[in-house]
Each structure stands twice: as C-alpha cells, then as structure tokens.
Amino acid sequence: MTETDGRTLAPWRGALRVVGAPIDRIDGPAKVSGRARYTTHVTPPGLLHAAVARSKVAAGTVRALDLSGAERLPGVRAVLAVAVPGQKIRFAGQDLAAVAATTPEIARAAVARIEVVVEPTPHVVTLDGAMADGAPRVHEDPVQARRTEGDDPTEVRGGGRVTGNVRPLPAFEHGDPDRAFARAAHVHEAVYETPVVLHSALEPHALTVAWDGDDAMTVWASTQSIFSVRDEMASIFGLSPERVTVICEHMGGGFGAKFGASAPGSRMGFIAGTLARKAGAPVRLALDRRAEQEVTGNRPSSRQRVRVAADGRGRVVALEVVSHGTAGVGTGAGVGRNAAHLYEKIPHRRVRAHDVFTHAGPGTAMRAPGHPQGAFALELALDELAAKIGADPLDLRIAHDRHPVRRREYELGRARFRWDDRRARARAARAAGARVRTGAGVAASIWGDFGRAKAARVTVAIERDGSVHVRNGVQDIGGGIATVLAAVVAEVLGRPVERVHVRYGASTLGRSVGSGGSQTTSSVAPAARVAAERARRALLEAVAEATGTPPGAVTLEAGGTVRVGPRRLSFEDACRLLDDDGIEAVGQRGPTRSDAPYPFPGGGRPQIGGVQFAAVEVDTWTGEVRCTHLTAVHDCGRVMNAKAAESQVAGGIMMGLGFALSEQRQVDPVHGRVLNADLERYKLPGFGELPEIDVHFVPVETDANETGSLGIGEPATIPTAAAVACAVFDALGVPVRTLPITPDRVLAALRDGRAEAAP
Amino acid sequence: MLRLPTFEVVQPTALEAALEALAEPDAVAVAGGTDLLPNLKHRLAYPRRLVSLARVEGLARAPEVEADGTLVLRAGATLARVAADRRVRTIAPSLAEAAGRVASPLIRNMATIGGNVNLDTRCRYVNQTAFWRSAIGGCLKSEGQVCHVVPKGRNCVAALSSDTVPVLLSLDARLVQRAAGGRRREIDVASYFHADGTAHLLREPGEITWEIRIPPAVQPRRTAYVKWSVRGSIDFPLVSVALRADLEEDRDDAPVVGWRVVAGVLGSKPRVVKVPPAATGAPLADPAVAEAVAEAVHRQCKPLENVPYEAAYRRKLARVLVRRAVARLGGRDTAR
C-alpha cells in the first residue's frame, strides 16, 4: 500500500487497528467540562449586541419606518432599516429593522421603539386555505427556489408554472401507472398527512462579525458550513473570500437550517455585517428561541394521496403519490426519493409533489429533506395494501427491493427484532380485544453517497518531537468528524488517537465541505487518509536519507515503530531525524470510483440503505402510544467510529420519534402566528420517551473513496416515523394516517375504523 | 435567549426583614424562581425588587409531624424534598406523588412547595414573549382587554397548573400566611383560590405562605394523584385530579364511606367534584365505584382550550385515568 496518489490509493481491506473501533470523541472533555467555546461565548473587545425588529403580522405592506426612537436611546450604536416602504410582508417574524447596542437589553429596548407602519392584508396559513379559490396570493412574482448544501444535489431542479399558491415540483414517472391501476386486482388509496416540524437545535442561529479595516472581516458563526458563510459574506459585502475568516469551533446542533450567512427567513449576515460596519465595532446577532422556531426554517408539511395496487398474485404493480405541502413562503415541500426509487420492483410508479405557499416562515432542508414525510405515507400505505391482500409487510418489502444490502438488512432485522414473534403477539392481542395492544412495523431508508472529490484539503504534519497534527476547515456539527480525522491519521501513521492533534472549525485551516447531504465524512476522511499516506511516505524517505538506508528498507510497523533495515526506531526517535520543518503533506479526495454495492438512482454513486423495526404499545382507552423497542440495521460503507455512528443513528431515531408522536408546529389561523414557538409547547421527546434502541451496522466494503466511508446522519432518521406508524397500524388494526400520532387521533381512528376489517 | 428585565434583589435572612421588604411597592417574593423568572423573561410582570426567600431562617425546615398528627410543611421545602420525605410519603402519599411529578428533577431541586401553591395561572395566549402578545393585542391577563380562549369572555380563564394544589385541597390542607408587623392568618386551601386567572390567589399584599398544614386523617383513607402530560417529564399537567377515598376500616377492601375529589387545569381555581352516593358503600375494587367517580369527574370537569391539547380529549382522558386510579387503589389490575 505504498501508492499515495488519491486516485490510485488502494482501499482498506479487513479490520483495522483504530478506524471502526468505538472511539471517544476528542471534543468530549471540552464539552462536558464547559471549556468548549461556542459561537456566543466569543466576546471580542467592544462587542455590540444586535436585535431585530420583526413583523407582527403575517401579511401586509410596509408603509413607513421610523427609526428615530431607537437612534435616540443611549447605548445604541447603529440602527438599520432592513425593510423599505412598499415592501411586502409575507410572514410573521420577517425582518424589518435592526439595532446594535452596548447590551442586549438596550438593543431590545431600542427595537421596541422602532415604529413600523405595516398595512395588513389578508393572510392564509393553512394548506386548505391557500389552495382555496380566491385565497390571498402569497407570491405575485415567479419564485426562485432557495437551495443549500442541505438539499440532495442530484435532485432535479426547477418547478412548474405557479397557479394561485400552488407550484408543481419536477414530476417522476416510470412505466404506465394509469394502465396498471386500471388492470390491478387490488387497489388501496388514502390520504396521509405530516405537519410542519421545527429543527429546534439547542443552539440557535448566531453570528458575530468583526471588521478588520474595510476589506476584511472575521465571522464567528453557528453553522453547518463555514465556507458557505465565508462565500456569502464575501458576496454581500463585495470582499475577496480570502479576506473573510469564518470560525465555528463547536456547534450546538444543525439539522439543515444552518447554511450560509443568513438564516432561511432572516438576513442575519447582512444585518450583523452592516451594523458592525456602521458602528465601527464587532456585532453579535444571536436569535432568541421564538425567532429560531419561527423564521429559521422548518420541515415542510405534506398531504399525500397515495394509490398502490397489487395483482392477483400478491405483486405490487403500481404506486402513485400526489402530494401538496407547505414550506410557508419557501419552496421544497417534496416527498423525497422513497416512492420513486425504494421499491424498484414495482413496475409502474409516479410521484407528483407541489409546493403550496402560505404566509408562514420558510421551509428549508431538514435532515433528509422530503424523505421522512415520503417514507411515512409510502410505508403505511404499503402495509394497508399488505393487510388487504394478506401479505406479511416484511416479506412484501423484501420482494420489491433490488438493493442487496437492504435485503440483507431486512433479514438481519427480522431475527434481531424477533419480527415473527412480535407480529404474532400483536395479532393475538388484537383478537382478544386487549386494552393495551402491541404492534410491530418496519420501514426503510434510501439515501445516496454525496461525498465530493477535491472539496476538502486536509493537511497532515509530523513534527520533530513526534507529534502529529491534522488541519482542515471543516465544522464538527456533532457528527464527530474531528475524531474521525484523528482516527484515520492515527491508523495510517500507527499512532494512538490521542497523540493526533486535530485543528478544525476555521476557514483558515483549508477548504472543506458543508455538513449537509450526509457527505462530511465521505468527503473529508478520504482527504485525510491521502494526506496521511503522503506524510507517512515522506517520513520514511526522510529516515532512509538520514540513516543512509535504501528507501525500500525503511518501513512503518503496526505499533508506529519505524524499521530501518535490521534496526527498530520508536516513532519519536524516527521523527528526531527530520529537518526542523518536519513534514507537511496535503491530501484531497479523488472522484467517486464505484457505485457498489448498489447504485443510487442516476448512477455513479453508491446508494445507502438502512431499515428500522419499531415495536409500540398502544393504550386503546387513552390513545397513548409508546415506542418500546427500535431495531435499526444500517449501512454506511466502512464505519469510521463505531461509537459516533451508533450515536448518529440513535439521534436520528430520537428525531424520528418526535416526528412520529409529538412534534408539530401550530399556527393560529386568525393571528397568523406560531402558537408553540418555544421548547415548552413544541414537544420534543425527552429521555422518558425513548425506547430501547438496538443499532446494528452491516459492514460494506466499497471502493467509492479512499476510506470506504459513506454517510449516516440522514438515513438514520428517514424510516423511524414510518416504522412507528406501521407498528401502530399493526397494534390497532386501523391506521392513523396523520402525524404526529397523538392520543386523540388514535381514539378517532379506533372509532372510525371499527367497521373496517382487521388485517 | 430571552433576557430578564432589570430589578434589584434582596436576600434577607430574617423572616421579619423579608416581610418588611415585601411591604414595599413593586416588590415580589421569589423562592425557587422556576415560575417567576420565565414569566419575567416574558415580561408578564415588572417588579422593581425581588425579595429572595432562599435564606430566610426556618422557611426551608424539614417536614414535621405535630403531636396531634398534623403534618407541617414549611413553604421553602423543595419539591424534591417533599417528594422524598418519609413522613410525607407515609401520611400524604398522593402529595409526595404530585410533588415528584412536577416538571423535571432539575426544577424540583429548585422549586418549593410554597411556590407551587402560589404558582401563577397559565394560558397558551399568555405565556408567550411580550412581542408575540403584542401581535394579538394581548389579553385579559396581559396587556389586552379580550380573551382568546373564550371569545367575548369577561373573566380570565387561565389554568391553575399546580400539581400540588388539587392534592392539598383533597387533604383539607390549611395555609399559614405571614405578613409584616407580625400579621399571621390561617386559611383553607379551598378558600385560597378564586376564579379569576389574573388574580387567582386570595393572597393579601405583602403576604407569603409560611406553612402548609395537613390535618391528621379522621378516617382510614387511600389517596392518589392522576396526572397526564404529553411527555413523561418536564410538562405541566394537562389533566390533573387528586383522589381521596375515606374507608370504613384500614383495609384495601373496606367499604368507601366518602370521597374528596379535586381537579386542576380547568379554569383558575381547583374544582371540587361532587361525588354521588353510588361511589360509596362498596369497596374500591368494585368497578361500579370507579365508574361512578369517573363519571362524576367527566360530567363536572370541562377543560378549556387554555392549555395545549384538545379539550374534548382531555375531558375523556380524565374519565379513563380516574377510573383506573380508583381501580388501582382497590388493588385491581387494569391492564386488560
């Protein structure tokens, strides 16, 4: 394995010493001891605090702004009009004006003195309302879709012509669904709904801007993409990107809404940068929880009419999903890849999704955009069809899936989860009319490897004192990329992980990728391996030269010992032979070389699978649903850090459980305001709501990149809510077709479904 | 994050000093602060001075039992302490249960029993930021003149959200209130509340709750606290019912001779449910007893849309949970 060119570096085979083991995260001690500095902990001298005046109404036209009250308040250093007279207001919370002051309290007091006259116009915040004839138009002009690194890069772009508030998204069609439905023996058709849910990262959007002269700035940001913040700030203020330094050392969570210098519904970068320039002092703009929940993006809702048909021999022959959802004033209320591509053995498939504009904060990418919604409707509809034709849901899925790894995952899960037992027990409890029922459900994930070539430049340095350093400008949003970089370099150089120092989280440390699309690990880890292999070769060459040994006779042994002919040197002793400069090697990832084990739609990249099995307990008197057990069987190529990978899956499951059982944004239709823009009434699950979680990885050796690593962050959350909904259907014998599955909906489903036959 | 307004804090150690400080205009007492501080962040009050009760001597003394069997809780005892206290668990198990189900362990370590008795009422249109409220013009309890829960309503219906108040009422507890100048009075918990969410406590100006006195049981009894919230922890109750069954003898299967049933989270005061004679004369395990109590709760308790969750569902749930709680007191398995 001496080739170190990224394009020809041989893939790792078999078990490794460090990579893939359960490794403690290197940022753990700083985080648990409180030493970790998050964005809002950074306080440059003279720091001012910004606050933003936001629209109280959901729709209207700005008629006048009077900033003088704010300007006169002592302690206020800069005031900025963000909206201008004549501008349309399209959602409550929209930016109107901003101030920077010496304390957050003064900034808020100043905002309260800003007088903005908004002439209100009728608003519409519900899907039905927005689709009704004569509904107020949210956008008069054609809409530009906003895309970020959180979106699937292979998704077909564009949208159809807007009619009223409805904008069609690119359609998918395979085969001839109409003909297939007309000839099918069994057809199931129903409507499935999912609510708008909120990212709810514990750390809100925050950014601090410090100008350095008038052509350079330093920005501290809570971001999923340091370089997108850099590029957007450079573009807003006409700076060279090289003159913008962006720092994000630690992150308190990002699930798709933290790309670029602006939040999806607030021009944060423009506001903080302009106030800082006006005031001649650094400015911090950190959102409070209300603004965070109302204007910084959300997962759009969906109302999906699903039709699915089987022939007389139990084969599913046709599938159609027609969906309408609202991303508020934004775009992207699609339903992901599930219906189009998960069950490829269904010969006829059609997906038509639509954005429906409403006067509410914009949607944006949220952990596998579209997929959890699409999975829920598709998988529950499939189970309803299975019940009609007397098929086992698990067998039905395996029979229609072409992905060899996912088929294996279904079988592994069947055994680990004790699928057959649990289904039998559910049947017995149903038949007995037990008050507390149990149920089992299964659902699948589809995602792609979006790792990118040459997107990250990783530097590996070896110093004369034997220390090893890794540098890259990637942000660690919690997925644990910094620890993965340490592990990869430790592996190549035969060092313990704790002896590899990683610097990350700053744009000055080398170009890197945004953490969206589950691409961080598969983009950055390979570059680290390439750099480490180069550093290793340079070290051995230097040792050979210093000792007058032929280069081929110097090798690095597993424990980090350097073998020089018959002699053995410790790693530290070998490094003492280096020049003062030590060694510095830079690596980049090569292009994706393989789509094995199975291609993602469109080809050229691997498809990532994953299946989850949920067991639930449902109290038929109170309607309460408790998820008691969740078995997750996933693949992500070669696992880099078993601990972090398991933690990603557990986190994805927790998020999926909230989507399944408790989370929903509630907007008051009369006032057009979010009723639960806080963490008290917006019900994120707590530890008390968590089931027993069993995570299992199917190792896949893929040559896609130099480390064989693929993504896991998003696949981990796609099937959870779907599996829970299927399990509830199993428990009750009647489906609950609306998320979240709240107790009242369970009771309503039992009441309405009594006449229907149990599966 | 939301910021606190500016105020002064005094931390007296003597009760009389605390009461004198509270006699000043615009002074507000703060014990654990878990209810008051979020409300200040939401600008639901602008006190000039907070008088901390945390260091007041004797206020946090451990629960005691007096010679006649009266259980005495000092108002400064934390909910965590009340929930864990051996005497409370023996004499008033439903109170220990209710105190132990408030919010989360972190909050119970700070919050006090006196604070929970004096907890402000809550409403989905009130406990929002000042800015949010300004968008809808406020309401009766905040800056406005209208009610968004009961359109055209003249009376604020913000919900009594304390877990312990219904239980204390069911146990016929009395409060000892202290005020400056040596003023001291005792009042029944039942008389301390008023059906007006903007001023639901009959607390006199400058007064604090000093002691909570639970009289000894005159009759053998069984008690329970029924709470439902969306999550297993953190949340305020959405259904809250305290049950006390007085028995002929101290046996689980003895006939019930009387009931004290009190519901919270309806309007601003706890509701004492009138239990029909059908619920007495038979043991707790008799399904007819459970059914009669549950029916009474269902008929008399009509939740409003003042807290999250559909009122109709909460009403139905109260019936189911009460029926089960009664059955459980009688030692009956309710799983099937």
Side-chain angles (χ1 to χ4, degrees), chain A residues 653-686:
Chain A
I653 287 168
M654 188 159 179
M655 207 168 201
L657 282 174
F659 187 47
L661 298 177
S662 60
E663 293 181 42
Q664 56 182 323
R665 186 190 70 179
Q666 291 169 321
V667 183
D668 187 317
V670 176
H671 304 300
R673 299 295 316 247
V674 179
L675 275 165
N676 56 348
D678 53 45
L679 295 183
E680 185 204 329
R681 279 159 292 208
Y682 184 82
K683 301 293 185 188
L684 294 170

Side-chain angles (χ1 to χ4, degrees), chain B residues 236-306:
Chain B
F236 283 98
L238 299 177
V239 171
S240 168
V241 185
L243 301 171
R244 182 186 113 199
D246 291 341
L247 307 181
E248 207 171 270
E249 285 176 72
D250 195 7
R251 290 184 288 113
D252 283 351
D253 58 357
V256 179
V257 295
W259 282 98
R260 189 87 163 133
V261 175
V262 184
V265 218
L266 301 168
S268 303
K269 64 182 282 193
R271 172 177 293 269
V272 179
V273 176
K274 290 182 206 73
V275 180
T280 56
L284 286 161
D286 185 338
V289 170
E291 192 55 46
V293 178
E295 251 327 291
V297 168
H298 185 253
R299 206 168 325 109
Q300 295 167 44
C301 300
K302 294 170 185 158
L304 299 164
E305 301 282 349
N306 46 5

Side-chain angles (χ1 to χ4, degrees), chain A residues 45 202 214 292 338 360 414 564 643 705:
Chain A
L202 277 187
D214 52 15
E292 182 67 19
N338 309 63
R414 186 200 293 272
V564 186
K643 220 174 186 177
N705 60 58

Side-chain angles (χ1 to χ4, degrees), chain A residues 438-464:
Chain A
T438 62
V442 61
S445 202
I446 175 170
W447 198 251
D449 167 35
F450 303 121
R452 289 192 285 141
K454 295 197 166 172
R457 282 172 65 85
V458 177
T459 305
V460 172
I462 304 174
E463 301 293 342
R464 283 193 66 197

Side-chain angles (χ1 to χ4, degrees), chain A residues 190-427:
Chain A
V191 175
Y192 300 84
E193 292 190 73
T194 65
V196 171
V197 296
L198 306 173
H199 297 73
S200 306
L202 277 187
E203 179 190 39
H205 282 66
L207 140 134
T208 299
V209 179
W211 284 88
D212 178 9
D214 52 15
D215 68 342
M217 63 166 61
T218 301
V219 181
W220 291 266
S222 171
T223 181
Q224 292 176 249
S225 176
I226 281 177
F227 287 86
S228 72
V229 175
R230 184 190 74 159
D231 296 348
E232 190 178 330
M233 288 305 264
S235 146
I236 293 170
F237 295 103
L239 308 177
S240 155
E242 277 300 303
R243 303 286 286 153
V244 179
T245 301
V246 179
I247 299 168
C248 175
E249 203 182 340
H250 295 288
M251 269 284 276
F255 306 102
K258 290 180 175 172
F259 291 98
S262 298
S266 181
R267 297 168 65 194
M268 293 182 66
F270 165 76
I271 291 170
T274 308
L275 288 172
R277 187 155 64 184
K278 281 185 145 190
V283 168
R284 176 196 293 158
L285 173 53
L287 300 189
D288 61 22
R289 180 53 61 185
R290 162 151 289 282
E292 182 67 19
Q293 304 298 86
E294 205 162 24
V295 307
T296 68
N298 54 62
R299 172 182 291 160
S301 68
S302 74
R303 177 183 293 163
Q304 305 173 54
R305 176 165 289 281
V306 181
R307 273 206 296 167
V308 57
D311 66 13
R313 289 188 293 171
R315 292 178 308 198
V316 184
V317 291
L319 168 66
E320 180 189 65
V321 178
V322 178
S323 172
H324 292 83
T326 183
V329 297
T331 57
V335 291
R337 296 271 184 180
N338 309 63
H341 298 290
L342 191 51
Y343 299 111
E344 287 174 308
K345 287 189 188 170
I346 302 177
H348 307 284
R349 311 189 297 276
R350 173 188 292 147
V351 180
R352 287 184 183 155
H354 307 80
D355 284 327
V356 178
F357 298 117
T358 54
H359 289 106
T364 194
M366 178 164 165
R367 206 165 187 175
H371 288 68
Q373 303 95 297
F376 160 68
L378 168 68
E379 307 271 15
L380 184 52
L382 211 55
D383 274 19
E384 291 188 58
L385 179 74
K388 269 189 190 151
I389 63 176
D392 176 78
L394 180 54
D395 293 338
L396 193 73
R397 282 167 173 77
I398 296 170
H400 292 85
D401 196 330
R402 286 192 205 279
H403 193 314
V405 176
R406 198 161 42 229
R407 290 156 59 106
R408 171 95 186 107
E409 288 166 345
Y410 278 124
E411 292 297 354
L412 281 171
R414 186 200 293 272
R416 289 182 82 89
F417 180 76
R418 293 178 290 110
W419 169 263
D420 298 314
D421 280 4
R422 288 185 193 270
R423 293 285 293 191
R425 267 192 286 148
R427 239 186 334 268

Side-chain angles (χ1 to χ4, degrees), chain A residues 54-57 104-105 108 286-290 294 434-436 619 621-624 661-662 666 668 671 673-686 688-689 742-744 747, chain B residues 1-6 42-43 122-129 131-132 134-136 148 228-236 238 308-310 313 316-317 320-321 323-324 333-336:
Chain A
R54 302 191 174 280
S55 171
K56 293 177 183 179
V57 301
E105 288 78 8
R108 276 153 201 263
L287 300 189
D288 61 22
R289 180 53 61 185
R290 162 151 289 282
E294 205 162 24
R435 167 168 81 78
V436 177
D619 186 321
W621 287 3
T622 64
E624 288 172 294
L661 298 177
S662 60
Q666 291 169 321
D668 187 317
H671 304 300
R673 299 295 316 247
V674 179
L675 275 165
N676 56 348
D678 53 45
L679 295 183
E680 185 204 329
R681 279 159 292 208
Y682 184 82
K683 301 293 185 188
L684 294 170
E689 278 64 57
T742 50
D744 49 329
L747 295 185
Chain B
M1 68 181 179
L2 295 170
R3 317 288 294 198
L4 283 166
T6 314
H42 282 162
R43 302 297 188 267
R122 302 182 60 81
C123 178
R124 67 202 311 181
Y125 293 95
V126 173
N127 300 92
Q128 301 277 6
T129 63
F131 174 72
W132 189 96
S134 73
I136 64 168
H148 302 288
W228 184 74
S229 54
V230 176
R231 292 173 291 194
S233 68
I234 303 169
D235 292 342
F236 283 98
L238 299 177
Y309 253 75
E310 286 68 12
Y313 173 70
K316 177 179 162 67
L317 193 62
V320 175
L321 295 181
R323 188 166 57 205
R324 277 182 196 169
D333 174 26
T334 57
R336 273 168 202 281

